[in-house]
Amino acid sequence: MMDHFHEEVVVKRNRVFESILYALANIMMVVTGILALYWMNVVTGGGFSWAALIIFLVMAGCCAGLFFYRDRLRAEYEYTFTNGDLDFAIVYNNKKRKSLGTMRVKNVDAFGPVNSEGFRKIINMPELKRRNWFLNRDANLHYFYYQKENSRNIIVLEPSEELVGMIRKYLSVGAYRP
């Protein structure tokens, strides 16, 4: 028997805004770091005041926050399909990979394109947990609807046509809703 394996990475098509935002985050990180050092000098140099301490803490917090979270501005999604199991991951700045979960495709209640009538019915359900794991709104988006532990869940992603074909082979009867 032949194994079915497919892996794809979804990247943002227009990365100009993302690149500008990443550059601004780096610049602001340096500026807030320099300002934090200045205000630390003011606080420890004998001119202590609560205002100077608060400004120092805000600047240091902004610098640290930008340092740890700027990579999230450059995110990519990775879908890996292996014999009916679909793994989801998000990759930050080609450095950090975070697993989002694994799904057995045969356990899905509904799968289909987002521009279908089935999606419009499901998306209006009460208490639906929605996960958007896509980057390009104008792409050919698809959804997975499933119930797990008495909660309703929907995942919206942007698979290629090849991945959609592989997924359809492993779906249970009636789960594909065009």
Side-chain angles (χ1 to χ4, degrees):
M1 185 173 155
M2 189 173 124
D3 286 337
H4 292 105
F5 177 80
H6 182 74
E7 183 177 50
E8 61 187 42
V9 177
V10 176
V11 296
K12 193 139 180 103
R13 288 190 193 121
N14 188 357
R15 298 184 108 174
V16 173
F17 181 69
E18 180 183 281
S19 297
I20 292 170
L21 211 55
Y22 188 76
L24 284 174
N26 283 327
I27 292 168
M28 290 305 297
M29 181 182 65
V30 171
V31 168
T32 56
I34 291 170
L35 288 173
L37 288 174
Y38 170 77
W39 285 103
M40 183 178 72
N41 190 25
V42 170
V43 169
T44 59
F48 178 80
S49 72
W50 286 104
L53 180 64
I54 291 171
I55 292 171
F56 162 70
L57 291 174
V58 168
M59 291 297 149
C62 287
C63 181
L66 286 168
F67 179 76
F68 288 114
Y69 291 105
R70 67 189 162 145
D71 286 340
R72 293 178 185 252
L73 295 172
R74 290 184 173 171
E76 300 173 345
Y77 286 101
E78 189 176 273
Y79 313 134
T80 306
F81 184 85
T82 310
N83 295 330
D85 292 338
L86 191 57
D87 295 321
F88 304 100
I90 187 166
V91 180
Y92 297 113
N93 201 21
N94 288 330
K95 294 179 187 175
K96 301 174 190 169
R97 185 178 192 278
K98 178 183 174 190
S99 176
L100 298 173
T102 300
M103 170 185 293
R104 187 162 297 261
V105 173
K106 71 177 183 179
N107 296 335
V108 170
D109 295 325
F111 171 75
V114 167
N115 57 5
S116 67
E117 187 63 36
F119 178 76
R120 288 192 250 332
K121 289 178 183 176
I122 292 172
I123 199 66
N124 293 322
M125 289 182 171
E127 299 179 17
L128 181 69
K129 293 180 184 175
R130 183 175 180 170
R131 292 174 185 86
N132 291 327
W133 293 341
F134 65 90
L135 294 173
N136 303 300
R137 291 193 176 275
D138 60 340
N140 189 16
L141 302 178
H142 282 71
Y143 72 94
F144 285 106
Y145 171 72
Y146 62 97
Q147 294 184 22
K148 184 176 182 181
E149 300 171 4
N150 295 327
S151 68
R152 298 176 179 151
N153 300 282
I154 192 164
I155 298 173
V156 179
L157 57 134
E158 58 179 297
S160 65
E161 289 302 318
E162 182 180 355
L163 183 58
V164 169
M166 292 179 102
I167 290 170
R168 286 183 63 181
K169 290 178 186 177
Y170 284 88
L171 287 173
S172 59
V173 177
Y176 183 69
R177 304 204 180 148

